[in-house]
Amino acid sequence: MKILLDSMGGDNAPDANIRGAVNAINKIKAEVILIGKEEVIRAKIKEFYGKEMEEISDRLKIRNATETIEMEDTPTVAIKHKKDSSMVVGFKMLKENEGDVFISAGNSGALLTGATLLVGRIKGIDRPALAGILPAYKSQLLLIDAGSNTNCKPINLLQFAQMSSIYLRNTFQIESPAIGLLNIGTEETKGNELVRESYQLLKEKAEELNINFVGNVEGRDAFSGKIDAIVADGFTGNVFLKTTEGLGKFVKKSLTESFTKNLLAKIFSIPALPAIKRFSKTMDYKSYGGALFLGVKKPVVKAHGSSDALLFEYTLIQAEKFVKNKAVDKMIEEFEKEPKDKI
């Protein structure tokens, strides 16, 4: 198995990308191919570890790419004109079976455009969507769309629900995943036009498409452990995602400061340390890795733009599992057997 990593994408590239790959290489069995400016990657490895890349692992490789797609680049223009960028080279390698999964923390719009134009959509899917995993009470929550489609139609949200159902059944062995529609209230008359129309479409098509649609879900109930996936347009989903991450950081920081405020607080916190560590681990979004682009013919994973070395490490471990679980193959199989008049 070969994991393709865009070494030049993300706020902390290439340092975090390279460190994450080196940290992960002995925790996975796959070969990792670092895509980017070879002289830069080799120099960084020498600087960080005092040795050549080949001395670290024979499963760590480089594919040279001379250009970089920046965060401010226009997605379509960048994909079409920066043909030797680390992102475009990665997509081409994935399409030509030179790798099994592609990871990037770069420009989200360019990643969606490249995945759609260069790798291709699964037949029957209008728009691929980012599916991110978040912690929930004694379980986990799939958020789709986590930020790739800011403007959606009801048919898109219906397909997001269908893709998440297939994904959770086949990858996480959840027999009948509960799918909710993110809204400001639980009543079917609540929300804007998109959400109201999507609710009616989901209600009408859920049984035909084998979707266990549980109705509207408010943000405060999303982490109850009773919902397996929550569906939203990419704009709303991304705001929800980043608010959740920010709240997690706030809670962890506040707890740490409370227990280290003075000597007495430190002493009384000692018995609670194991529970605090377990809570911190549960709240740490980094351990959940990146988000898989559901709806693309081959596995494409979007890592957080602000990913550090630890998050890249977890994302590489997660990507290997995506390939092993045949998440995309099963999505193609399930979607292509659906009668076209159902959607």
Side-chain angles (χ1 to χ4, degrees), residues 3 18-32 49 51 53-60 313 316-317 320 324:
I3 299 175
I18 295 168
R19 288 184 184 275
V22 172
N23 292 345
I25 198 66
N26 291 322
K27 297 178 183 178
I28 59 177
K29 294 181 179 179
E31 181 179 300
V32 177
Y49 305 102
K51 58 178 74 174
M53 183 188 69
E54 290 77 9
E55 297 177 77
I56 295 173
S57 174
D58 59 1
R59 289 183 291 110
L60 206 55
E313 178 185 340
L316 283 156
I317 293 169
E320 185 177 59
K324 284 182 178 178

Side-chain angles (χ1 to χ4, degrees), residues 40-57:
V40 173
I41 295 171
R42 288 191 177 279
K44 288 289 183 180
I45 290 176
K46 188 73 172 178
E47 175 189 341
F48 298 153
Y49 305 102
K51 58 178 74 174
E52 300 297 332
M53 183 188 69
E54 290 77 9
E55 297 177 77
I56 295 173
S57 174

Side-chain angles (χ1 to χ4, degrees), residues 56-244:
I56 295 173
S57 174
D58 59 1
R59 289 183 291 110
L60 206 55
K61 310 287 185 181
I62 296 177
R63 172 62 71 90
N64 188 47
T66 60
E67 297 177 293
T68 302
I69 291 179
E70 307 295 344
M71 291 296 188
E72 61 272 17
D73 285 346
T74 304
T76 305
V77 174
I79 292 295
K80 287 184 177 180
H81 295 283
K82 290 189 173 182
K83 295 183 178 179
D84 199 41
S85 64
S86 52
M87 189 181 290
V88 172
V89 170
F91 278 131
K92 288 180 179 178
M93 290 177 70
L94 185 66
K95 184 177 182 180
E96 294 166 9
N97 297 316
E98 293 181 49
D100 299 287
V101 56
F102 176 55
I103 301 169
S104 178
N107 185 314
S108 295
L111 197 68
L112 175 63
T113 301
T116 304
L117 295 179
L118 302 178
V119 181
R121 298 190 304 268
I122 293 172
K123 189 175 181 180
I125 293 177
D126 184 38
R127 291 188 186 180
L130 276 174
I133 300 291
L134 295 171
Y137 181 67
K138 294 184 178 180
S139 62
Q140 58 191 17
L141 176 72
L142 181 74
L143 171 64
I144 183 171
D145 181 5
S148 52
N149 300 282
T150 54
N151 296 302
C152 291
K153 298 176 182 178
I155 183 63
N156 302 135
L157 270 62
L158 174 66
Q159 291 185 349
F160 296 168
Q162 186 182 10
M163 286 192 291
S164 60
S165 295
I166 295 169
Y167 178 52
L168 290 170
R169 281 199 304 271
N170 289 315
T171 304
F172 295 91
Q173 288 74 52
I174 302 173
E175 187 176 342
S176 183
I179 312 297
L181 183 63
L182 185 61
N183 203 344
I184 58 172
T186 57
E187 302 89 347
E188 61 180 274
T189 55
K190 285 290 183 72
N192 57 23
E193 184 178 353
L194 170 64
V195 177
R196 292 196 306 271
E197 290 182 7
S198 298
Y199 182 100
Q200 294 303 323
L201 188 59
L202 276 160
K203 187 177 176 181
E204 176 189 340
K205 296 286 187 179
E207 187 175 348
E208 295 178 46
L209 299 176
N210 195 20
I211 301 170
N212 178 19
F213 178 53
V214 296
N216 289 325
V217 176
E218 293 180 283
R220 64 186 176 189
D221 297 320
F223 304 100
S224 64
K226 297 177 182 179
I227 307 297
D228 296 301
I230 196 162
V231 175
D233 63 272
F235 179 87
T236 306
N238 192 258
V239 171
F240 177 84
L241 171 67
K242 289 177 179 174
T243 301
T244 301

